[in-house]
Amino acid sequence: MLDFTKSREFPIGAVSEHTEVHIETIRYYEKIGIMPKPERTRGGNRVYDVEQVRRLNFIKRSREMGFSLNEIRELLELVDGGDFTCGEVHAIALRQIGNVRAKVKNLRRMERVLKEMAAECDRGIVPECPIVDALSVI
């Protein structure tokens, strides 16, 4: 864990471990511009400040809630602009709730179809498999 009382700059490995975000992912977020480029040590190593760690946590939690990178960018643009309203963020959250509900509905449908396909299978040794057949339909 990062000790924010002892230091204000943290190497990428420590940030990765603290946030549970892979180093490659952190670099990718920098590349696409949702994470700011960090300062560098004399040796060229990245060092992050507390605000960058907070931002990375925001991105990680947003991803866990199913937000796309573009949606996270939209949220960050509101936050970075400093003139956002809670109502704007609320509208984005409501939109995401709709997305999640649609995904849940789709997952339930997929579960039902898979159950139906599995019920057709007698687990015999015949080369014809109703599950493979159902998945192979043109």
Side-chain angles (χ1 to χ4, degrees):
M1 294 305 263
L2 299 180
D3 188 349
F4 297 109
T5 61
K6 290 187 178 178
S7 179
R8 297 319 242 172
E9 292 184 337
F10 309 97
I12 193 169
V15 171
S16 173
E17 184 177 330
H18 177 78
T19 60
E20 298 179 347
V21 175
H22 293 286
I23 290 172
E24 297 82 18
T25 304
I26 297 170
R27 289 180 182 141
Y28 176 71
Y29 290 161
E30 291 168 15
K31 181 179 176 183
I32 65 170
I34 61 175
M35 275 294 292
K37 302 270 186 219
E39 295 292 322
R40 300 257 182 178
T41 64
R42 291 171 126 195
N45 296 320
R46 291 169 165 87
V47 288
Y48 298 84
D49 63 28
V50 174
E51 287 305 311
Q52 289 168 313
V53 175
R54 182 173 287 127
R55 186 180 187 99
L56 185 57
N57 274 325
F58 178 93
I59 295 166
K60 178 188 178 204
R61 290 184 182 128
S62 297
R63 293 293 285 158
E64 290 171 348
M65 292 294 114
F67 286 98
S68 70
L69 291 175
N70 285 334
E71 291 165 330
I72 293 169
R73 186 183 311 281
E74 179 183 1
L75 283 167
L76 288 170
E77 285 171 359
L78 286 173
V79 172
D80 291 345
D83 61 348
F84 69 94
T85 66
C86 193
E88 290 171 302
V89 176
H90 183 261
I92 294 170
L94 288 178
R95 184 176 70 207
Q96 185 61 13
I97 291 169
N99 293 340
V100 169
R101 286 182 177 152
K103 288 176 187 175
V104 168
K105 182 179 177 181
N106 191 41
L107 287 170
R108 286 189 178 129
R109 182 189 59 76
M110 289 185 333
E111 177 187 32
R112 181 179 40 78
V113 170
L114 284 168
K115 281 181 179 178
E116 290 170 3
M117 287 190 307
E120 294 293 319
C121 182
D122 62 6
R123 295 180 285 282
I125 58 171
V126 196
E128 291 83 26
C129 174
I131 296 172
V132 171
D133 291 344
L135 293 172
S136 302
V137 172
I138 297 176

